[in-house]
């Protein structure tokens, strides 16, 4: 592959990076030991497509990203290359052009493959470069139908018969044999690799009346990526369950499992959940990428005021810090980042999680097992006998856990946990609703961080725009607002967004607020009485991120409600 000098020179020549960025990446590479291309991608200086284009330049052939348009053309020429040959040589037929057949391959100099294709197709072969992971994904998509790719002339009537319910194997022995067959394995592997490449957090295998729909949750939004024939539904479902060490013979009860796989150098943990439905088992695979979860505080997009305030709270020897927000708002990621910030050889840090998503070196992590009687409350009691300095409780779900956590915070421990509330100032009222006395809350709670996740605009294709809607400009002080809008390009999959960023609100308890809590005040009263400098609102952070071009006003309004008093002056 490219040497350091060759890749760097090519990127400089094409204007992809600056000399300063190259020097910075080379310095980082010497520390991490990773390839220069990977380092530049991680630092955000180049895209994956930039890197692949550079590799294609080395092969002296075009780069083929294998996007939707290419695969649509490929459907018309796939009869020239059967699925067996495609997987044998790891190639994708692309198009016919002036009597030549174009193919995508990760090894353009494979003489055996080129000779074989010339003999079997009788055509001139032209090659384009594409990375292996995209080749695998494209093969799975191109050949993931019940049709035999060697027999494209198969009639519609025969297809109708092959998709009938009678073709779904009911015999477990027969099903156990099918799930190990190459087409099923390739199909499932292709879906997994596609999900990782597109940054999906979940894969949904959803049985319908006449087919199975596969959807990916990307940056919080579900997208249909393919339809699997009814004839393959049971095989695909059983294959996923088998990988997760679940019982493929049990189809009438929900099951849970997990497995691990690698995509390139990345190790991905997958959690699997099955649920019986009218048309068959529905399976959801949650993908946990360590690189996405184990971030530092400065990688989360917190405003400096919030990050500094949270760091100061976490430096205290005792007290309770709560992170609030709905499910899927990134609370665990924030807590992991905070743990990494405060861990040291002089601190004993213990966690109680359900489940343990990722392990952090130097921290004692334990997992709840309610079936075995190991609840958050019982686990927390045991942890407090282990002489901890910092305790993380995955979630405060009940009165018993909340009370133990509060008393731990009062007796010299720093306690971190999560709670489900709409905003930061509602946390004390929520704890009172759970039966925690106000005096206990006042003695333990020192700060609350509320958060939401919104999609981040694609840096490559976002375009400037001006917001003139009076209802929205009023939030910014009344004048038209310079912002950005989503467009869509090959880098973001024509979505316009790539990745997500947090919106944050930090609430630090003060004496006036504690007096209100003692009077059983609600969240609105506490918010109104919070002294200046003790409450950085999520609305302020959201509007600033719109103005800075990090996200769009549409994304913000889909996640939070902004009132006129929260406006950001121009």
């Amino acid at each position: 592959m490219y040497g350091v000098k060759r890749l760097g020179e090519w990127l400089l020549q094409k204007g992809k990076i600056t000399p300063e960025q190259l020097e910075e990446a080379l310095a980082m590479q010497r520390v991490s030991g990773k390839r220069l291309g990977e380092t530049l991608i991680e630092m955000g200086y180049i895209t994956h497509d930039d890197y692949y284009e550079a590799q294609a330049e080395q092969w002296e052939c075009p780069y083929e990203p294998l996007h939707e348009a290419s695969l649509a053309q490929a459907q018309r020429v796939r009869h020239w290359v059967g699925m067996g040959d495609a997987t044998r040589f790891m190639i994708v037929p692309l198009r016919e052009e002036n009597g030549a057949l174009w193919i995508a391959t990760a090894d353009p100099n494979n003489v055996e493959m080129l000779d074989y294709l010339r003999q079997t197709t009788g055509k001139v072969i032209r090659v384009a470069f594409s990375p292996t992971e995209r080749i695998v994904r494209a093969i799975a998509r191109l050949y993931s139908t019940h049709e035999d790719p060697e027999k494209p002339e198969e009639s519609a009537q025969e297809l109708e018969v092959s998709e009938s319910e009678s073709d779904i194997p009911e015999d477990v022995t027969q099903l156990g044999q099918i799930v190990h067959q190459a087409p099923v394995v390739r199909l499932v592997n292709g879906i997994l690799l596609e999900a990782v490449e597109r940054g999906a957090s979940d894969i949904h295998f959803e049985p319908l009346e006449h087919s199975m729909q596969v959807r990916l949750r990307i940056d919080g939004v579900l997208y249909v990526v393919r339809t699997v024939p009814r004839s393959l539904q049971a095989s695909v479902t059983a294959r996923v369950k088998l990988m997760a060490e679940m019982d493929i013979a049990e189809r009438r009860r929900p099951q849970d499992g997990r497995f691990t796989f690698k995509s390139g150098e990345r190790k991905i943990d997958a959690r699997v959940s099955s649920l019986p439905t009218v048309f068959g088992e529905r399976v959801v695979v949650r993908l946990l990428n360590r690189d996405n979860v184990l971030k530092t505080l400065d990688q989360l997009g917190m405003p400096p005021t919030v990050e500094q305030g949270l760091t100061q709270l976490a430096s205290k020897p005792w007290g309770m810090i709560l992170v609030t927000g709905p499910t899927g708002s990134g609370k665990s990621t924030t807590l992991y980042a905070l743990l990494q910030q405060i861990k040291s050889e002089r601190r004993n840090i213990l966690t109680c999680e359900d489940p343990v998503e990722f392990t952090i070196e130097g921290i004692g992590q334990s997992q709840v097992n309610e079936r075995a009687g190991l609840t958050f409350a019982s686990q927390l009691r045991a942890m407090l006998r282990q002489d901890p300095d910092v305790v993380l409780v995955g979630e405060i779900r009940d009165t018993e856990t909340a009370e133990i956590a509060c008393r731990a915070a009062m007796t010299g421990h720093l306690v971190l946990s999560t709670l489900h509330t709409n905003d930061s100032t509602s946390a004390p009222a929520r704890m009172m609703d759970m039966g925690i006395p106000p005096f206990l809350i006042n003695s333990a709670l020192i700060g609350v961080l509320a958060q939401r996740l919104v999609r981040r605009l694609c840096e490559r294709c976002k375009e400037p725009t001006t917001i003139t809607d009076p209802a929205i400009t009023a939030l910014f002080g009344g004048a038209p607002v310079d912002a950005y809008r989503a467009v869509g390009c090959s880098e973001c999959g024509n979505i316009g967004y790539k990745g997500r960023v947090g919106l944050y609100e930090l609430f630090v308890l003060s004496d006036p607020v504690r007096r209100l809590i003692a009077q059983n005040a609600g969240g609105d009263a506490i918010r109104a009485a919070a002294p200046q400098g003790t409450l950085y609102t999520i609305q302020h952070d959201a509007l600033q991120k719109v103005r800075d071009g990090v996200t769009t006003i549409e994304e913000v309004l889909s996640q939070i409600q902004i009132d006129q008093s929260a406006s950001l002056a121009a």
Side-chain angles (χ1 to χ4, degrees):
M1 203 51 63
Y2 260 101
V4 169
K5 183 178 179 183
R6 182 93 183 267
L7 175 60
E9 285 181 349
W10 186 89
L11 292 170
L12 287 172
Q13 180 184 351
K14 296 292 184 179
K16 302 288 187 181
I17 58 173
T18 65
E20 293 77 16
Q21 289 173 333
L22 177 58
E23 288 300 321
E24 186 180 350
L26 288 170
M28 180 69 74
Q29 183 197 22
R30 285 191 286 271
V31 175
S32 65
K34 296 182 179 179
R35 292 179 177 178
L36 177 60
E38 295 175 4
T39 303
L40 287 165
I41 292 171
E42 289 179 0
M43 297 176 75
Y45 292 156
I46 64 171
T47 64
H48 285 89
D49 282 331
D50 291 333
Y51 184 42
Y52 298 146
E53 190 178 346
Q55 292 178 268
E57 184 84 4
Q58 183 195 25
W59 292 111
E60 297 181 346
C61 65
Y63 164 54
E64 173 54 59
L66 288 175
H67 292 320
E68 296 294 334
S70 300
L71 293 179
Q73 284 187 304
Q75 289 286 351
R76 295 193 285 269
V77 296
R78 70 173 187 169
H79 60 279
W80 288 111
V81 180
M83 183 168 62
D85 290 338
T87 54
R88 172 187 170 192
F89 294 115
M90 292 306 292
I91 57 175
V92 176
L94 296 173
R95 60 188 178 276
E96 287 186 81
E97 198 173 88
N98 299 325
L101 176 65
W102 279 88
I103 64 164
T105 174
D107 184 9
N109 285 349
N110 187 332
V111 177
E112 179 190 357
M113 174 265 293
L114 293 172
D115 287 344
Y116 178 84
L117 290 179
R118 290 190 191 103
Q119 293 174 13
T120 56
T121 65
K123 290 184 171 293
V124 175
I125 304 300
R126 299 277 186 261
V127 297
F129 170 79
S130 191
T132 302
E133 59 268 25
R134 293 195 182 181
I135 296 285
V136 172
R137 186 187 74 180
I139 290 174
R141 296 194 65 174
L142 195 59
Y143 298 101
S144 66
T145 70
H146 57 286
E147 303 153 289
D148 185 345
E150 307 292 344
K151 300 178 181 179
E153 71 281 357
E154 196 168 9
S155 70
Q157 183 178 4
E158 288 172 324
L159 298 184
E160 183 73 25
V161 172
S162 70
E163 289 195 355
S164 68
E165 177 123 5
S166 61
D167 282 340
I168 298 178
E170 292 297 331
D171 181 76
V172 176
T173 304
Q174 180 187 0
L175 189 60
Q177 296 170 349
I178 293 174
V179 298
H180 291 293
Q181 293 178 0
V184 175
V185 173
R186 280 194 294 267
L187 173 57
V188 173
N189 289 353
I191 293 172
L192 290 172
L193 290 173
E194 178 180 2
V196 173
E197 183 176 326
R198 297 183 64 176
S201 61
D202 301 86
I203 307 171
H204 291 239
F205 296 88
E206 303 169 337
L208 307 175
E209 186 173 2
H210 301 296
S211 62
M212 171 186 277
Q213 179 177 261
V214 181
R215 294 196 290 174
L216 301 182
R217 185 176 295 279
I218 303 171
D219 296 333
V221 179
L222 282 169
Y223 298 92
V224 177
V225 293
R226 73 183 68 191
T227 300
V228 176
R230 178 88 170 152
S231 57
L232 289 179
Q233 174 185 318
S235 304
V236 169
T237 300
R239 175 63 187 171
V240 177
K241 291 173 65 178
L242 190 69
M243 294 171 70
E245 298 183 352
M246 297 157 66
D247 184 359
I248 65 172
E250 178 55 74
R251 306 181 192 176
R252 298 179 181 179
R253 291 189 300 177
Q255 294 187 67
D256 294 301
R258 63 188 303 166
F259 64 93
T260 301
F261 66 100
K262 292 190 71 174
S263 174
E265 296 300 318
R266 290 177 292 182
K267 185 177 179 182
I268 310 295
D269 289 324
R271 292 213 184 94
V272 183
S273 170
S274 70
L275 179 70
T277 67
V278 174
F279 298 117
E281 283 185 287
R282 179 189 180 101
V283 176
V284 175
V285 181
R286 166 66 57 90
L287 301 177
L288 300 171
N289 187 342
R290 187 181 183 89
D291 294 336
N292 291 340
V293 174
L294 292 183
K295 298 179 180 290
T296 58
L297 282 182
D298 57 5
Q299 293 177 319
L300 299 182
M302 287 184 180
T305 303
V306 172
E307 185 178 340
Q308 293 166 11
L310 185 61
T311 302
Q312 289 174 3
L313 288 174
S315 67
K316 295 183 180 298
W318 62 269
M320 177 188 289
I321 302 173
L322 294 176
V323 180
T324 73
T327 301
S329 60
K331 299 188 296 295
S332 295
T333 300
T334 299
L335 286 176
Y336 277 134
L338 194 55
L339 284 181
Q340 293 186 94
Q341 176 104 347
I342 65 177
K343 73 173 184 178
S344 73
E345 293 181 353
R346 297 184 178 183
R347 272 182 152 176
N348 181 21
I349 302 177
L350 301 177
T351 76
C352 173
E353 305 172 59
D354 184 21
V356 174
E357 294 192 5
F358 292 103
T359 57
I360 304 176
E361 187 176 354
I363 293 177
Q365 296 173 263
S366 58
Q367 185 162 309
V368 167
N369 186 347
E370 295 193 357
R371 291 181 180 178
L374 195 60
T375 63
F376 273 119
S378 61
Q379 184 88 328
L380 183 53
R381 283 196 186 93
M383 286 165 53
L384 292 175
R385 294 192 290 269
Q386 292 283 312
D387 186 32
D389 297 296
V390 181
V391 172
L392 184 147
V393 183
E395 182 181 347
I396 293 180
R397 297 176 180 172
D398 52 59
T399 303
E400 185 180 12
T401 304
E403 185 169 344
I404 298 170
C406 285
R407 295 194 182 279
M410 292 169 54
T411 55
H413 305 89
L414 181 65
V415 178
L416 311 176
S417 191
T418 67
L419 193 67
H420 287 282
T421 64
N422 290 328
D423 53 43
S424 61
T425 55
S426 297
R430 174 74 184 107
M431 295 181 74
M432 285 186 275
D433 289 342
M434 296 174 71
I436 306 302
F439 81 88
L440 205 54
I441 299 171
N442 275 334
S443 301
L445 191 62
I446 58 175
V448 185
L449 180 77
Q451 63 181 71
R452 298 287 192 279
L453 287 179
V454 292
R455 290 185 292 175
R456 185 191 290 269
L457 276 167
C458 175
E459 290 294 333
R460 186 173 184 177
C461 65
K462 68 180 182 181
E463 288 185 353
T465 187
T466 302
I467 301 175
T468 57
D469 185 343
I472 296 176
T473 57
L475 302 173
F476 293 85
V481 180
D482 292 330
Y484 288 82
R485 70 182 184 91
V487 178
C489 66
S490 60
E491 180 66 21
C492 60
N494 293 314
I495 295 173
Y497 298 92
K498 188 172 183 180
R500 288 193 287 179
V501 65
L503 304 179
Y504 299 96
E505 175 173 283
L506 182 63
F507 171 47
V508 180
L509 270 72
S510 58
D511 290 338
V513 166
R514 295 186 195 281
R515 286 193 288 269
L516 283 176
I517 293 175
Q519 299 169 16
N520 296 313
D524 292 339
I526 291 174
R527 177 173 291 268
Q532 187 174 2
T534 64
L535 178 62
Y536 183 97
T537 68
I538 197 170
Q539 291 91 341
H540 190 281
D541 184 28
L543 296 177
Q544 189 61 56
K545 282 186 167 75
V546 170
R547 172 165 284 164
D548 292 341
V550 176
T551 188
T552 61
I553 190 66
E554 293 81 8
E555 274 295 294
V556 165
L557 294 177
S558 72
Q559 293 295 323
I560 64 173
Q561 184 175 358
I562 303 178
D563 56 42
Q564 191 64 43
S565 62
S567 66
L568 180 63

